[in-house]
Structures are given as C-alpha cells and as structure tokens.
Amino acid sequence: MKTEPILAPPEAPAPAPELPKKLSRKQLKHARQRRAFLRFWSQFRQNKMGMAGLIILLFFIGMAIFSIFAAKSRLDPTITTDGPRLAGPSLKYPLGTDQQGISVLSLVIEGSRISLFVGLTAALISMFLGTTIGLWAGYKGAFTDGFLMRLTDAFLVLPWLAFAIVMAAVFGQSMWIIIIIIGVTSWAGTARLVRAQVLSVKERNYIERSRALGASDFQVVVRHVMPNLMPIIFANTILTIAIAILSESALAFLGLGDPLAKSWGTIIELAFHAGALSLHAWWWLMAPSMGIVLVVLAFTMIGFAMDEIVNPRIRER
Amino acid sequence: MSVLSVEDLRVTYSTKGGGVPAVRGVNFAIEKGEVLGLAGESGCGKSTIAGAILRLHAGQTKIEGSIMLDGQDVLALSPGKLRAVRWTGASIVFQGALHALNPVQKIGAQIAEAIVVHGMATEKEAMVRAGALLEQVGLPPRRIDDYPHELSGGQKQRVMIAMALACSPSLIIADEPTTALDVMVQAQVLQLLRSLQHDLGLAMLFITHDLSVLVEVSDRLAIMYAGKIVEEGNADRVFHSPQHPYTKALADAFPSIGDQRFRHKPAGLGGDPPDPQHIPSGCPFHPRCARKIDACESVVPELWDAGAERRAACVHVSGAPSLGAVPA
Amino acid sequence: MGTARYLANKLLQLFFTLLFVLTIAFFLFRVWMPGDPVTTFARSSGAKFTEEQLQQIRHDWGLDVPLFPDQYVAFMTDNMTFNFGVSTVVDPGTNVSTMYWHKMGKSFLLILTSTIASIIIGVILGIKSGWKRRSALDNTSMGSSMLLYAMPEFVLGMILLLLFSNAVHLFPSGGYESAVGHHGFDRVVDIGRHMALPWLTLTLAYMGEFYLVMRSSLLDVLGEEFIALSRAKGVREKYVLRHHAVPNALLPTITLVALSFGFILGGVITVELVFSYPGVGKLSVDALFAHDFPMLQATFVISVIAVLVANLIADLSYAYLDPRVRRA
C-alpha cells in the first residue's frame, strides 16, 4: 500500500537577497552610530529646556575660549588698568570694577576658563572612577561586588566638603589637586548608577552567548555591556559636571582655590574678604556668581533633557 | 435587561500627535450569568474598553456612545454617582502580577477598603468579610495581615479576584488575568474564575489575547481588530469554524499537539496590526488578508450574519451583500 | 523581629563604615600630614619650650610611638570617644572637643530647623506639583527649584544679605546675637533675627532638591496599576493621593534626603562663613585658614558621625514605611 506523504517536502530556501555593497563591519558600525546620534539630536532639538541650556553653555564656552586669546589684551585682568576703584556698572565697565580698579568683566571672562576647565576635568575623573568601579562591581558580582559596594557606600556617606578641606590642608591647593579632590569625592553616585545598569544588562542573552564563545571579560564589557550604558552614562556625566562646578566654587570660596588661576569662586572669595558686602559693591560679588549659576543651570537643563530622551520611563510622564 | 450593554462605543486618546482612535464603534451586550470573551492582539483596543466601562481613562480621553450598566448609562453619571457604581456595579481584575497591589498596605485592608468606601460595613466587619472572601478564593483567612510581597503570583491573582467580589458586583471585567502566570497556575486561576462565576451567577467580560484560554471560559466570543469587533458569536462555533480571516489566523496560531498540519511550519500571520492613526481604507484587515478581493479596499464591512450563531465583518460571509465575493 | 534584625544590621554597617573612614583619616592626619604638630603648636603659642618639654608634649599626644599598630589603635579609640587633642594654632593648648562642644548647639539649631523646614516644604510642594502636573504652580516651582539648585549656598546667602540687610535693613548682617545683651523673650527674638537669613538660605538651598525628587517619585507612583485600581474601587481622589500614592512616593525621597546630608553639612560651613555665624562651620573655616590639624580632624570626624547618624534615622524611617524592607 502506497503511503501518501503527510507533508509536502519543505521548500528550497529562498536565495539570500543581494547586499547593496560590500561594507566593512567598522563602516557599518559607524553608520549605525551616526544614525543613532542623528536620531538623538533631532529629539533633543525639540526639547526647549535642553536647547536653552545648550545655548547658554555655548555662550560660556565661547567666553572661555576667548579668554585664552584675551591674554595680554585690553581685557586681561593681570594688567592693572587705572580704572576707578569699586565703581558700579557703567558703559566703559559693564560689570563694574573691583578694589584695584580692574574691570570685573575681564575677571569674569578669565574666570570662566578656570571654572569650566576644573569642572569638566574633575567630572571626567569622577566619571572614570565611578564607571570603572560600577562596571567591575556589577559585572563580577559576588565578593568583588560586595566589597566595592561597601566602599562606594562609605564614599557616598562621606561629607564631601569636610573631606575636601582636610585633603587640601594635607596635600596643598593647586588647581590640579583641587581637581583630583573633587573627582575623588564625587564618584560614588555614578558607581551606584552604573552598577544598577550593568546588573540589568548582564542578564541578557547576548552576553551569555559572547562568553560561551570564549570572549574575555574585558571584551564582553567593552563590546557589549558598555554600548548599552553609554546614553545613561553620558546624561549622568553632564549632571556630574554641574556638581563639580558647584563643588569647585565652594572650595574656592573657602580660600582653597589656586591663587594663580582665579576661578569664579576665587573672585567671590576675594571680594567677600575685601568687604564687598559692607561696601555695597554688589557687582563684584554678583557677576561671577551669575556666571556659576548660569553655567550650572545650563548643564542641569541639558542633563535633564537628555535624561528625558534616554530614559523612556520618564518620557511617558 | 442585559447586565452590560455597549452601543457604538468610541474611545479616542488625545496625544501630542493628534487623536488616536483606539475603539471605533463597538457594540455588544452581556447577560446575567454569561461570559463574553474579548480577544485580539495588543493594541486592538480591548483593554481600552475595560477602562472605559468604569470611566478610568484620563480626562482628555474622549469617550462617546453609550455604556449601560444595570440600566444606567455610565458615561452620563456625575462623579459622585460614578464612584458609587464603581466596584458595586462592575469590578475589574487586572493582571495583578507586578504592581496592581499597594506594596506598603496589607492585603486585607486593600480588600476591605472597597467595602468601607461604599459604606457597606464598618472597618471591623469589612476585615471579617475580607477574610471570608480570601477563603472563597482558596486562601487562608489569616492572610489578611500579609503584605503583597509575601504572596506568589498566583496567590496575588486570587487576592485580586477576592477584591473584585468584595461589593458583590453584577459584572466582573477580567483584563488579562492570567497572562503573567505560569501555565499551571493559569489553569488554577481559570478554574477558580469559572467556578465563582458559575456559583455566583456573575456576568463576566474576559479580555485576553490568548484565544485558547477564552474558548474554555467563554459562552460567547468577540474578536477585535483595529478598534472594532470583526467577529462574534457562540464561543465554540467561532473558535472551531471561524468565518473572519483574522479569527481563522488567530485560531490557527495555536497548534494542537498531534495536528500534522503544524509539524514543520508554524502558522503565523505576516505584517503588523495597523497604526490607529493610519487605518487602511475599507476593511482594515485587507493588507494582511489571504482572501482579499478588490471590494475589500473600499467597502467597510459590518457584522453580517455568518450562519450558526455567528456574525463576522467580512465580505465573504453568507449574510454579506454580494460584492463579487467567492464563497469559502 | 524583622525590624530588630534590620536595625542591628544597619548599626553594624555603620560601625564598619566608621572604621573605614577613620582609617582614611588616620592616613591623612598621621601618615601623610605635612609638618610636625608639636613644633607648629610651639610656634603658635608664642611661649618658649625646652627640648624636654617638647618631648613631653610629643609623648602626651601619643606621637612618639610607632604608627602601626600603636598610633593606629590609639587614634581609632580616641576619635570614637571624641578625644581630638588640643588646638595647635587657633587657640593653642585648648582642648578641641571643648571648643567644638560650645559651638555645637548653635550649628545644630541652625541645621535642624532648616533641614526640617526644607524637607517639609519641598515634599509638600512636590506633592502638589506632581498631582497637578503642568499647572501654573508646577511650572513656577519647577523653574525656581532648578534655579535654586544651580545656586551655591553662599551665593544665595549673599543675595539675601544684599537684599534684606544692606538694601533694606530688616535683618542684621551676621553673628548670633547682638552685643547688647538681651534677656528672656527679647533674647529669643534677637537670636531669631540673627538666625533668620542663614536659616532661610539653607532652607531654600535644599528645598529644591527635595521638591524635584518628591515630584518625580510621585509621578512614577501615579502611573502604577494599584492607583488605577484604587480609583476603580470608587475611592475619592484625595484619599488615593494621601493613602496610596504619597506613602509609596515618600520612599525614594527618604533615600535622597539621606544622601543629601553630606551636602547639607558642606553648605552649613560656607553659609556660616558668609553670615559669620559662630557655629562649628565657622570654627572649621578658622581651622582651615590656620592649618590647625587637630581641629580639622575634629571637623572631619564630627561631620562623618553626624552624617552616619542622620542616615541611620533615615533608614529607620524607611523601614517604618516600607514593609518589604523589614522582613530582611
């Protein structure tokens, strides 16, 4: 008895479609990254808060860059002008003058470079420390995680200013030492955030597959774990810069700034101790203050905007 | 009089990109003691209907049509009267898995809250009733002092059911009650729902995307696609001899063990459900339909009689006006 | 029982953190510290010391024994018993603990009142804001909170001084009380007037952060299913907010408040400087300018212990509110 085939034999697989052209893996990766960035940018552009922050930030970055070239020119504060001492804002001196007759505007321009540089560099150190520790703890798990988390908690709880003051008293107060101090006291928050992200990504299948294929820890972390974290890390960096600038200003106000590189905080400190308050020389105090406030505000707005775009949960609200 | 009678229900969400019509004219009724199963893919509008019955949507969402619950038009009620009808006229069983229970409140208190809020008993009496309700769903009454995190997924779902029964409603809306559960637990919960519904003579609206679950539980079935009902009728008939191509595809997607047809090729349906803001002209299903004819692009089908206690919105059914359709 | 175990666990963690931090302090103050405290002290006191006297002082201060383990153990026990030695520059020879003890009360008063005020105002505003999103209140509060957050505490202090002390002579420009001694109620008013601006500065400075967190956490919670369920049960809106949303939303806020203590202490130091408020902060600044290491050590250790205690209180509040934590 002839048995009928129950099923028709499976069809021959369709031929693979032609690839447009031969692109190397690297080119594909760059193309994909560029597209992702453009997508992010178009969303960011629509965010009013983020754009406002970006404009303010660009203004101050411009000011900082300008200050590099302004040395030895009319606006250089180290060249004492014979301007009126402690004069209020006028046409010639839009932000008034200080006790030595130097234009406060030139002080502010000079200070922008220092404040931004210290803030950015300190934030980079903090991000680097925090991300490395967070990645290591989250990825390795078990004992490493436990130990690193105890360490992170301890630093999280440390009152940063007391710690910074002591470090400055012990190690000195040059600009670089201040940068390192700020970096060392502010990494814990980032570490916690990165670790949480790593823990959620770690469970995904492609990580397991990669390791089954024999990829080393380092390769897995760099090629698979990190790309997922980049957007959140980036948003966090922006907010860290804001905190770093605030920290530097507090340290400078306490007299711990580098006397040779006058940041905005240092200007305020000098003004305060020269009695600007009782002398009613408000412009001398407020101009650098507004610099700090505007720059921090700019970074905060950009950071919040990025957070909204990168973190889908927030976006829905 | 039907327990629930929905006529020409239209729900439109308002978003930044304009209005999104999630439900585009739905009619159905549920009688006392009857279970109506509502099935469809994600985004077809079925959960929207669940929310609309008790008016749980945000203020900007536009709801039109009429929803008659125990003879009252829910959409016309004042806020005070609406609050009174909620839970006493109809109650909902949500998915329950993650956060349908307040994590910082004991479950007994959460069940009792419904009773006390409607002035049906004092707090003490309500807690006693909560214990009795837990017993009814198969949990020991002493667990009224437990917190949600001390319960398993299946147990939490039972608590949701007990809560839904608290004010003796006429209608229970079950919105994906078993979706997040393991298969074994799913079977237990379904069994519980069926026996409670039967013993208490409740009307039930059972919403899910899992057709195989529905066929066991429902008396009648309604299949939704793109915001409208495309087929409805007796549950067995609809599932075993579907008239609408979409229903057929849904039913086929659940292979039975031993069915030779499915040994090698899983039966799926290509394409995606349409974007509610860009619904195709004519029959919304035509881009994915294997039995599409030219007329399908222009004619908007209605629920025509399809024989044997079914109605389907397809030009091919027996009750449809002749448009060049080819009989199956 | 769970609570007791939780508390014991937290105390243990606190102890180990303290050990760790004190070890860092040991390295800072004994191993890496530049200069010799004994000679610094001798120089600042102005008196002449013989070599034997200096040796005696060195012995008294425990500096003539090896670093490990002798100095290390002594350092740990000393610090945990608040024994910080004597001042070397600011007031040579005076016991540091006594110096700090006298000023502690004033700082404590300022910190406590301003922290409580900023928590209460921040939380209440955050709730109102989150509940009525995009309202005028919400937008204004969001904007001002971001502005306050961007302002260093001392800048805010100076602005308030310029406005309310210089421009309009409402408040004194600094200090704790007038040189003219007041008594009884007059004294309270006098102190109050002096404290008003620093208090306002600290309250405003941190209010923004608590506001932002409370608002965002409330918005998170409002999206949860159990909130929709409460409404479906017929519960009034205000009740849903107060009994379901807020208790859950408070949890992340408490965590953030705990994390902020370190920053609050930092703010106190700069604000006391701006207003010449004679508290521990100003004392620390004096110590900093003078490089008086024993005093700096006291500042460091006291700050750490204060933050740890505050965190413990926060942990306890969290355990009180969240049953999930207690079972651990």
Short mmCIF file of all heavy atoms in Angstrom, two decimals, chain B residues 232-281:
data_model
loop_
_atom_site.label_atom_id
_atom_site.label_comp_id
_atom_site.label_asym_id
_atom_site.label_seq_id
_atom_site.Cartn_x
_atom_site.Cartn_y
_atom_site.Cartn_z
N GLU B 232 -18.17 37.82 16.08
CA GLU B 232 -18.65 37.48 17.41
C GLU B 232 -19.74 36.41 17.30
O GLU B 232 -20.38 36.29 16.26
CB GLU B 232 -19.16 38.71 18.15
CG GLU B 232 -20.29 39.42 17.47
CD GLU B 232 -21.54 39.48 18.33
OE1 GLU B 232 -21.43 39.30 19.55
OE2 GLU B 232 -22.62 39.69 17.77
N GLY B 233 -19.86 35.68 18.37
CA GLY B 233 -20.88 34.63 18.35
C GLY B 233 -20.58 33.60 19.40
O GLY B 233 -19.78 33.81 20.31
N ASN B 234 -21.22 32.46 19.27
CA ASN B 234 -21.04 31.36 20.21
C ASN B 234 -19.56 30.96 20.24
O ASN B 234 -18.94 30.79 19.21
CB ASN B 234 -21.92 30.19 19.75
CG ASN B 234 -21.69 28.97 20.59
OD1 ASN B 234 -20.68 28.27 20.43
ND2 ASN B 234 -22.61 28.72 21.50
N ALA B 235 -19.03 30.80 21.43
CA ALA B 235 -17.58 30.61 21.57
C ALA B 235 -17.06 29.40 20.80
O ALA B 235 -16.10 29.49 20.04
CB ALA B 235 -17.23 30.49 23.05
N ASP B 236 -17.71 28.27 20.99
CA ASP B 236 -17.25 27.06 20.29
C ASP B 236 -17.26 27.23 18.80
O ASP B 236 -16.30 26.90 18.11
CB ASP B 236 -18.18 25.89 20.64
CG ASP B 236 -17.60 25.06 21.76
OD1 ASP B 236 -16.35 25.02 21.86
OD2 ASP B 236 -18.39 24.47 22.50
N ARG B 237 -18.37 27.77 18.29
CA ARG B 237 -18.50 27.92 16.85
C ARG B 237 -17.46 28.87 16.31
O ARG B 237 -16.83 28.60 15.29
CB ARG B 237 -19.88 28.47 16.49
CG ARG B 237 -21.01 27.61 16.88
CD ARG B 237 -21.25 26.49 15.85
NE ARG B 237 -22.14 25.48 16.41
CZ ARG B 237 -23.44 25.66 16.57
NH1 ARG B 237 -24.00 26.80 16.18
NH2 ARG B 237 -24.17 24.70 17.11
N VAL B 238 -17.27 29.98 16.98
CA VAL B 238 -16.32 30.98 16.47
C VAL B 238 -14.92 30.38 16.44
O VAL B 238 -14.16 30.58 15.49
CB VAL B 238 -16.33 32.25 17.34
CG1 VAL B 238 -15.17 33.16 16.98
CG2 VAL B 238 -17.63 33.00 17.16
N PHE B 239 -14.57 29.65 17.47
CA PHE B 239 -13.21 29.13 17.52
C PHE B 239 -13.00 27.99 16.54
O PHE B 239 -11.99 27.92 15.85
CB PHE B 239 -12.88 28.66 18.95
CG PHE B 239 -11.46 28.24 19.12
CD1 PHE B 239 -10.43 29.18 19.13
CD2 PHE B 239 -11.13 26.89 19.24
CE1 PHE B 239 -9.11 28.78 19.28
CE2 PHE B 239 -9.81 26.50 19.40
CZ PHE B 239 -8.80 27.44 19.41
N HIS B 240 -13.97 27.09 16.46
CA HIS B 240 -13.74 25.91 15.63
C HIS B 240 -14.10 26.10 14.18
O HIS B 240 -13.57 25.40 13.32
CB HIS B 240 -14.47 24.70 16.23
CG HIS B 240 -13.81 24.21 17.48
ND1 HIS B 240 -14.41 24.29 18.71
CD2 HIS B 240 -12.59 23.68 17.69
CE1 HIS B 240 -13.58 23.81 19.63
NE2 HIS B 240 -12.47 23.43 19.03
N SER B 241 -15.00 27.00 13.86
CA SER B 241 -15.22 27.30 12.44
C SER B 241 -15.33 28.80 12.26
O SER B 241 -16.41 29.35 12.07
CB SER B 241 -16.47 26.59 11.92
OG SER B 241 -17.57 26.89 12.74
N PRO B 242 -14.20 29.46 12.36
CA PRO B 242 -14.21 30.93 12.24
C PRO B 242 -14.58 31.37 10.85
O PRO B 242 -14.25 30.71 9.87
CB PRO B 242 -12.76 31.30 12.58
CG PRO B 242 -11.97 30.08 12.29
CD PRO B 242 -12.85 28.91 12.51
N GLN B 243 -15.26 32.47 10.76
CA GLN B 243 -15.70 33.00 9.47
C GLN B 243 -14.82 34.15 9.01
O GLN B 243 -14.65 34.39 7.84
CB GLN B 243 -17.15 33.47 9.55
CG GLN B 243 -18.13 32.34 9.70
CD GLN B 243 -18.02 31.41 8.51
OE1 GLN B 243 -18.27 31.79 7.39
NE2 GLN B 243 -17.64 30.17 8.78
N HIS B 244 -14.26 34.89 9.92
CA HIS B 244 -13.43 36.03 9.54
C HIS B 244 -11.98 35.54 9.38
O HIS B 244 -11.50 34.79 10.22
CB HIS B 244 -13.50 37.12 10.60
CG HIS B 244 -12.95 38.44 10.16
ND1 HIS B 244 -11.60 38.68 10.06
CD2 HIS B 244 -13.58 39.57 9.77
CE1 HIS B 244 -11.41 39.91 9.64
NE2 HIS B 244 -12.59 40.48 9.46
N PRO B 245 -11.32 35.97 8.29
CA PRO B 245 -9.94 35.51 8.07
C PRO B 245 -9.02 35.80 9.25
O PRO B 245 -8.10 35.04 9.55
CB PRO B 245 -9.49 36.31 6.84
CG PRO B 245 -10.75 36.68 6.14
CD PRO B 245 -11.81 36.82 7.19
N TYR B 246 -9.26 36.88 9.95
CA TYR B 246 -8.40 37.21 11.10
C TYR B 246 -8.60 36.19 12.22
O TYR B 246 -7.65 35.72 12.83
CB TYR B 246 -8.69 38.62 11.59
CG TYR B 246 -7.88 39.01 12.80
CD1 TYR B 246 -6.49 39.08 12.74
CD2 TYR B 246 -8.50 39.29 14.01
CE1 TYR B 246 -5.75 39.43 13.85
CE2 TYR B 246 -7.76 39.65 15.12
CZ TYR B 246 -6.39 39.72 15.03
OH TYR B 246 -5.66 40.06 16.13
N THR B 247 -9.86 35.89 12.49
CA THR B 247 -10.14 34.89 13.52
C THR B 247 -9.50 33.57 13.17
O THR B 247 -8.92 32.89 14.02
CB THR B 247 -11.66 34.66 13.68
OG1 THR B 247 -12.31 35.91 13.65
CG2 THR B 247 -11.95 33.96 14.98
N LYS B 248 -9.60 33.23 11.89
CA LYS B 248 -9.02 31.98 11.45
C LYS B 248 -7.52 31.98 11.72
O LYS B 248 -6.96 31.01 12.22
CB LYS B 248 -9.29 31.80 9.96
CG LYS B 248 -8.93 30.44 9.44
CD LYS B 248 -9.68 30.13 8.15
CE LYS B 248 -9.50 28.66 7.78
NZ LYS B 248 -8.08 28.27 7.79
N ALA B 249 -6.87 33.09 11.40
CA ALA B 249 -5.43 33.17 11.61
C ALA B 249 -5.10 33.06 13.09
O ALA B 249 -4.15 32.39 13.49
CB ALA B 249 -4.90 34.48 11.03
N LEU B 250 -5.89 33.72 13.93
CA LEU B 250 -5.65 33.66 15.38
C LEU B 250 -5.79 32.23 15.89
O LEU B 250 -4.99 31.73 16.66
CB LEU B 250 -6.68 34.52 16.13
CG LEU B 250 -6.30 35.96 16.50
CD1 LEU B 250 -7.38 36.54 17.38
CD2 LEU B 250 -4.97 36.00 17.21
N ALA B 251 -6.88 31.58 15.42
CA ALA B 251 -7.12 30.22 15.88
C ALA B 251 -6.02 29.29 15.40
O ALA B 251 -5.55 28.43 16.13
CB ALA B 251 -8.49 29.74 15.41
N ASP B 252 -5.58 29.50 14.16
CA ASP B 252 -4.51 28.67 13.61
C ASP B 252 -3.20 28.87 14.33
O ASP B 252 -2.33 28.00 14.30
CB ASP B 252 -4.30 28.98 12.13
CG ASP B 252 -5.33 28.28 11.26
OD1 ASP B 252 -6.08 27.44 11.82
OD2 ASP B 252 -5.40 28.57 10.06
N ALA B 253 -3.02 29.99 14.94
CA ALA B 253 -1.75 30.27 15.60
C ALA B 253 -1.55 29.42 16.84
O ALA B 253 -0.49 29.40 17.43
CB ALA B 253 -1.66 31.75 15.98
N PHE B 254 -2.59 28.72 17.27
CA PHE B 254 -2.45 27.84 18.42
C PHE B 254 -2.45 26.40 17.96
O PHE B 254 -3.49 25.78 17.84
CB PHE B 254 -3.61 28.05 19.40
CG PHE B 254 -3.58 29.41 20.00
CD1 PHE B 254 -4.32 30.44 19.44
CD2 PHE B 254 -2.79 29.67 21.11
CE1 PHE B 254 -4.29 31.70 19.99
CE2 PHE B 254 -2.76 30.93 21.66
CZ PHE B 254 -3.51 31.95 21.10
N PRO B 255 -1.29 25.85 17.67
CA PRO B 255 -1.26 24.48 17.17
C PRO B 255 -1.66 23.51 18.26
O PRO B 255 -1.39 23.72 19.44
CB PRO B 255 0.20 24.28 16.78
CG PRO B 255 0.94 25.24 17.62
CD PRO B 255 0.04 26.40 17.87
N SER B 256 -2.33 22.42 17.85
CA SER B 256 -2.65 21.38 18.82
C SER B 256 -1.63 20.28 18.67
O SER B 256 -1.11 20.02 17.57
CB SER B 256 -4.05 20.80 18.56
OG SER B 256 -4.78 21.69 17.79
N ILE B 257 -1.34 19.64 19.78
CA ILE B 257 -0.39 18.53 19.73
C ILE B 257 -0.99 17.42 18.89
O ILE B 257 -2.14 17.03 19.09
CB ILE B 257 -0.11 18.02 21.15
CG1 ILE B 257 0.52 19.14 21.96
CG2 ILE B 257 0.80 16.81 21.12
CD1 ILE B 257 0.81 18.76 23.39
N GLY B 258 -0.21 16.92 17.94
CA GLY B 258 -0.72 15.83 17.11
C GLY B 258 -1.30 16.31 15.80
O GLY B 258 -1.52 15.53 14.89
N ASP B 259 -1.51 17.62 15.68
CA ASP B 259 -2.06 18.15 14.45
C ASP B 259 -0.94 18.18 13.41
O ASP B 259 -0.01 18.97 13.51
CB ASP B 259 -2.61 19.56 14.71
CG ASP B 259 -3.43 20.05 13.53
OD1 ASP B 259 -3.19 19.59 12.39
OD2 ASP B 259 -4.30 20.90 13.76
N GLN B 260 -1.04 17.32 12.38
CA GLN B 260 0.05 17.18 11.45
C GLN B 260 0.31 18.44 10.65
O GLN B 260 1.40 18.66 10.17
CB GLN B 260 -0.26 16.02 10.48
CG GLN B 260 -0.41 14.69 11.18
CD GLN B 260 0.89 14.21 11.79
OE1 GLN B 260 1.91 14.88 11.68
NE2 GLN B 260 0.83 13.06 12.44
N ARG B 261 -0.71 19.24 10.49
CA ARG B 261 -0.51 20.43 9.66
C ARG B 261 0.64 21.29 10.18
O ARG B 261 1.30 21.99 9.46
CB ARG B 261 -1.77 21.30 9.66
CG ARG B 261 -2.84 20.85 8.69
CD ARG B 261 -3.97 21.85 8.70
NE ARG B 261 -4.55 21.97 10.02
CZ ARG B 261 -5.24 23.03 10.41
NH1 ARG B 261 -5.39 24.07 9.59
NH2 ARG B 261 -5.76 23.08 11.61
N PHE B 262 0.81 21.26 11.50
CA PHE B 262 1.73 22.23 12.08
C PHE B 262 3.10 21.64 12.39
O PHE B 262 3.89 22.25 13.07
CB PHE B 262 1.15 22.80 13.39
CG PHE B 262 -0.15 23.50 13.15
CD1 PHE B 262 -1.32 22.96 13.64
CD2 PHE B 262 -0.21 24.64 12.39
CE1 PHE B 262 -2.53 23.59 13.40
CE2 PHE B 262 -1.41 25.27 12.16
CZ PHE B 262 -2.58 24.74 12.67
N ARG B 263 3.33 20.47 11.87
CA ARG B 263 4.57 19.83 12.28
C ARG B 263 5.80 20.62 11.89
O ARG B 263 6.78 20.63 12.60
CB ARG B 263 4.65 18.42 11.70
CG ARG B 263 3.97 17.42 12.60
CD ARG B 263 4.31 16.03 12.24
NE ARG B 263 5.67 15.72 12.62
CZ ARG B 263 6.28 14.61 12.28
NH1 ARG B 263 5.68 13.75 11.50
NH2 ARG B 263 7.48 14.36 12.68
N HIS B 264 5.79 21.26 10.75
CA HIS B 264 7.01 21.94 10.34
C HIS B 264 6.88 23.43 10.19
O HIS B 264 7.81 24.17 10.40
CB HIS B 264 7.51 21.36 9.01
CG HIS B 264 8.10 20.01 9.18
ND1 HIS B 264 9.43 19.81 9.40
CD2 HIS B 264 7.53 18.78 9.20
CE1 HIS B 264 9.66 18.51 9.52
NE2 HIS B 264 8.52 17.86 9.42
N LYS B 265 5.70 23.85 9.78
CA LYS B 265 5.58 25.28 9.53
C LYS B 265 4.64 25.89 10.54
O LYS B 265 3.46 25.57 10.55
CB LYS B 265 5.03 25.49 8.12
CG LYS B 265 5.62 26.68 7.43
CD LYS B 265 5.44 26.73 5.92
CE LYS B 265 4.08 26.41 5.42
NZ LYS B 265 3.89 27.01 4.07
N PRO B 266 5.16 26.74 11.44
CA PRO B 266 4.22 27.39 12.36
C PRO B 266 3.35 28.34 11.58
O PRO B 266 3.83 29.04 10.69
CB PRO B 266 5.14 28.15 13.32
CG PRO B 266 6.42 28.32 12.58
CD PRO B 266 6.52 27.20 11.60
N ALA B 267 2.05 28.33 11.90
CA ALA B 267 1.15 29.20 11.16
C ALA B 267 1.15 30.56 11.79
O ALA B 267 0.79 30.75 12.93
CB ALA B 267 -0.26 28.61 11.20
N GLY B 268 1.60 31.54 11.07
CA GLY B 268 1.60 32.89 11.61
C GLY B 268 0.92 33.80 10.63
O GLY B 268 0.47 33.38 9.57
N LEU B 269 0.85 35.03 11.00
CA LEU B 269 0.22 36.00 10.12
C LEU B 269 1.24 37.10 9.86
O LEU B 269 1.74 37.73 10.79
CB LEU B 269 -1.03 36.56 10.81
CG LEU B 269 -1.87 37.51 9.97
CD1 LEU B 269 -2.36 36.82 8.71
CD2 LEU B 269 -3.04 37.99 10.79
N GLY B 270 1.57 37.31 8.61
CA GLY B 270 2.56 38.34 8.29
C GLY B 270 2.04 39.73 8.58
O GLY B 270 0.86 39.95 8.72
N GLY B 271 2.94 40.65 8.70
CA GLY B 271 2.56 42.05 8.87
C GLY B 271 2.25 42.40 10.31
O GLY B 271 2.36 41.58 11.21
N ASP B 272 1.85 43.65 10.52
CA ASP B 272 1.53 44.13 11.87
C ASP B 272 0.14 44.72 11.89
O ASP B 272 -0.37 45.13 10.86
CB ASP B 272 2.51 45.23 12.28
CG ASP B 272 3.91 44.69 12.47
OD1 ASP B 272 4.04 43.68 13.18
OD2 ASP B 272 4.84 45.27 11.89
N PRO B 273 -0.45 44.81 13.08
CA PRO B 273 -1.74 45.50 13.16
C PRO B 273 -1.57 46.95 12.73
O PRO B 273 -0.49 47.52 12.91
CB PRO B 273 -2.11 45.42 14.64
CG PRO B 273 -1.21 44.42 15.23
CD PRO B 273 -0.01 44.32 14.37
N PRO B 274 -2.59 47.56 12.18
CA PRO B 274 -2.41 48.92 11.66
C PRO B 274 -2.25 49.95 12.78
O PRO B 274 -2.77 49.79 13.86
CB PRO B 274 -3.71 49.17 10.88
CG PRO B 274 -4.69 48.26 11.49
CD PRO B 274 -3.94 47.06 11.96
N ASP B 275 -1.51 50.99 12.46
CA ASP B 275 -1.37 52.14 13.36
C ASP B 275 -2.73 52.81 13.47
O ASP B 275 -3.33 53.17 12.47
CB ASP B 275 -0.35 53.10 12.73
CG ASP B 275 -0.17 54.36 13.55
OD1 ASP B 275 -0.84 54.51 14.60
OD2 ASP B 275 0.62 55.20 13.12
N PRO B 276 -3.23 52.99 14.70
CA PRO B 276 -4.59 53.54 14.85
C PRO B 276 -4.77 54.88 14.16
O PRO B 276 -5.89 55.25 13.83
CB PRO B 276 -4.74 53.72 16.37
CG PRO B 276 -3.77 52.77 16.95
CD PRO B 276 -2.65 52.63 16.00
N GLN B 277 -3.68 55.58 13.92
CA GLN B 277 -3.84 56.87 13.25
C GLN B 277 -3.80 56.73 11.73
O GLN B 277 -4.03 57.68 11.01
CB GLN B 277 -2.75 57.84 13.72
CG GLN B 277 -3.01 58.32 15.14
CD GLN B 277 -1.94 59.28 15.63
OE1 GLN B 277 -0.76 58.98 15.61
NE2 GLN B 277 -2.36 60.44 16.06
N HIS B 278 -3.47 55.55 11.26
CA HIS B 278 -3.43 55.34 9.80
C HIS B 278 -4.09 54.03 9.45
O HIS B 278 -3.45 53.09 8.99
CB HIS B 278 -1.97 55.31 9.32
CG HIS B 278 -1.25 56.59 9.61
ND1 HIS B 278 -0.30 56.71 10.58
CD2 HIS B 278 -1.38 57.82 9.06
CE1 HIS B 278 0.14 57.93 10.61
NE2 HIS B 278 -0.49 58.64 9.70
N ILE B 279 -5.38 53.97 9.67
CA ILE B 279 -6.10 52.73 9.40
C ILE B 279 -6.42 52.64 7.92
O ILE B 279 -6.88 53.61 7.32
CB ILE B 279 -7.39 52.69 10.25
CG1 ILE B 279 -6.96 52.67 11.72
CG2 ILE B 279 -8.22 51.48 9.92
CD1 ILE B 279 -8.08 52.56 12.68
N PRO B 280 -6.16 51.46 7.32
CA PRO B 280 -6.40 51.32 5.88
C PRO B 280 -7.86 51.57 5.53
O PRO B 280 -8.75 51.38 6.35
CB PRO B 280 -6.02 49.85 5.60
CG PRO B 280 -5.19 49.44 6.74
CD PRO B 280 -5.62 50.24 7.92
N SER B 281 -8.11 51.99 4.29
CA SER B 281 -9.48 52.24 3.85
C SER B 281 -10.22 50.91 3.72
O SER B 281 -9.61 49.86 3.61
CB SER B 281 -9.46 52.95 2.50
OG SER B 281 -8.80 52.11 1.57
#
